[in-house]
Amino acid sequence: MSKFKVAMIQMAVRKSKSDNVAKAVKFITEASSAGAHIITLPEFFNSSDEAEPIPGPSTQALSAAAISNSVYIVGGSIPEQDGNKIFNTCAVFCPTGEMIAKHRKIHLFDIDIPGKITFEESEDFSPGDKLTIFKTPYCDVGVGICYDIRFAEMAQIYADRGCKLLVYPGEFSMATGPKHWEVLQRLRAVDNQVYVATASRARNTQSGYVAWGHSSVVDPWGDVISMTDEKESIVYADIDLTKLETARWILPLKQHRRQDLYLSSSLNMDKIIRPQ
Ligand SMILES: O=C(O)CCC(=O)C(=O)O
């Protein structure tokens, strides 16, 4: 099964959690009717305000949607309540409705870009402590959430473990989205010779956090094969894993890696030319 279709759902998220979940299920049904096998929702697809446990109402709705549409669902993320902690969590469901993976965002977005954006995700959320891979009949898939995409090591571990598709539900803002969103996806794809796919929230200028949008799919050669603008839509892409083999055959990066040098600190100080 080297060919399959992914759908990245870019939806606008409003105040009402139940409306957001109902809308997500509607989009999943539409994407499934269009032939998608793996369907991904955006970060905080159900809202970012009110946490719930997993399983809970939002993830139960996703499980039911996976069964009724017979698809894999990468459930964007929701604020997950676990005891007195809250995590930014993506639950993944297989076509029989079982939750086959749960990724808690590892890297929390604590930044201050002067004049643009200050964000302290760790004020509300705790970080996850595990990387997450799930299996499908098509390929193994690595999961990250939004800021996780910036960390090349994580993507490399996924690729080294055999993942051929990396999926990032996300929501870059207008501060970093225009500059970094596309380039990061292309970097992760080219470095690891894998497919990279993202699903963002649609832009809502009334929201406190205005999303860049532009959900996309990038192939192992670094080409953007599908991308939308800032509005609500579904981004589809046909994945052909033979493209990945071709990219790896043309550029055998894995064979050319000098792991012996990267892991030991064989830094030849004598050869460093210092400015006079
Ligand atoms: O890395 C970025 O620039 C944006 C990340 C982000 O918005 C998030 O992780 O919520």
Side-chain angles (χ1 to χ4, degrees):
M1 291 203 198
S2 64
K3 294 190 178 163
F4 59 100
K5 192 189 275 286
V6 296
M8 312 307 289
I9 293 176
Q10 180 164 300
M11 57 178 271
V13 176
R14 305 281 179 223
K15 272 246 162 301
S16 158
K17 192 154 102 167
S18 54
D19 286 358
N20 293 329
V21 172
K23 192 203 278 193
V25 169
K26 214 162 142 245
F27 268 123
I28 289 166
T29 308
E30 184 183 332
S32 160
S33 307
H37 302 95
I38 303 180
I39 301 173
T40 301
L41 295 168
E43 185 177 23
F44 292 139
F45 79 91
N46 71 343
S47 98
S48 50
D49 301 334
E50 206 189 309
E52 63 178 81
I54 295 178
S58 301
T59 52
Q60 276 154 353
L62 297 187
S63 167
I67 297 171
S68 57
N69 293 287
S70 192
V71 289
Y72 284 85
I73 297 177
V74 181
S77 78
I78 67 167
E80 178 203 4
Q81 186 84 51
D82 184 4
N84 59 4
K85 289 189 173 171
I86 300 176
F87 298 91
N88 183 345
T89 304
C90 173
V92 181
F93 297 89
C94 69
T96 52
E98 282 153 64
M99 185 170 74
I100 52 170
K102 189 167 97 166
H103 179 74
R104 289 172 164 170
K105 186 175 183 179
I106 292 175
H107 306 94
L108 296 182
F109 192 45
D110 289 346
I111 51 113
D112 183 13
I113 305 178
K116 286 204 165 170
I117 186 173
T118 303
F119 209 78
E120 284 292 331
E121 193 170 17
S122 61
E123 275 181 2
D124 300 314
F125 292 90
S126 299
D129 59 5
K130 286 186 183 62
L131 275 65
T132 308
I133 294 174
F134 69 92
K135 290 192 176 297
T136 74
Y138 320 107
C139 65
D140 288 0
V141 182
V143 185
I145 299 175
C146 206
Y147 193 47
D148 282 338
I149 199 173
R150 288 191 180 270
F151 298 87
E153 298 89 336
M154 186 175 168
Q156 189 172 353
I157 290 168
Y158 286 152
D160 285 349
R161 296 280 180 102
C163 295
K164 296 180 174 172
L165 168 66
L166 309 185
V167 175
Y168 296 93
E171 186 189 16
F172 271 33
S173 70
M174 300 302 289
T176 57
K179 265 245 179 287
H180 296 164
W181 175 250
E182 179 183 329
V183 80
L184 282 165
Q185 294 173 64
R186 298 181 72 184
L187 281 167
R188 298 296 85 90
V190 171
D191 274 354
N192 298 294
Q193 302 177 302
V194 293
Y195 279 92
V196 172
T198 55
S200 169
R201 288 199 204 189
R203 192 172 306 163
N204 171 8
T205 49
Q206 309 307 310
S207 156
Y209 187 99
V210 181
W212 169 237
H214 292 78
S215 302
S216 327
V217 181
V218 179
D219 76 9
W221 197 247
D223 286 327
V224 178
I225 54 171
S226 200
M227 181 186 268
T228 187
D229 53 18
E230 76 286 2
K231 296 186 280 298
E232 263 194 347
S233 58
I234 305 180
V235 171
Y236 294 102
D238 289 311
I239 304 293
D240 177 357
L241 296 177
T242 60
K243 270 197 179 183
L244 181 141
E245 306 309 334
T246 308
R248 291 178 181 187
W249 179 75
I250 296 171
L251 285 171
L253 301 183
K254 205 166 176 184
Q255 285 94 299
H256 292 169
R257 257 156 110 187
R258 291 295 309 274
Q259 211 65 355
D260 55 326
L261 297 186
Y262 315 145
L263 295 181
S264 64
S265 47
S266 350
L267 183 58
N268 188 347
M269 297 299 284
D270 299 340
K271 294 243 173 83
I272 292 179
I273 301 166
R274 300 191 182 282
Q276 299 302 309

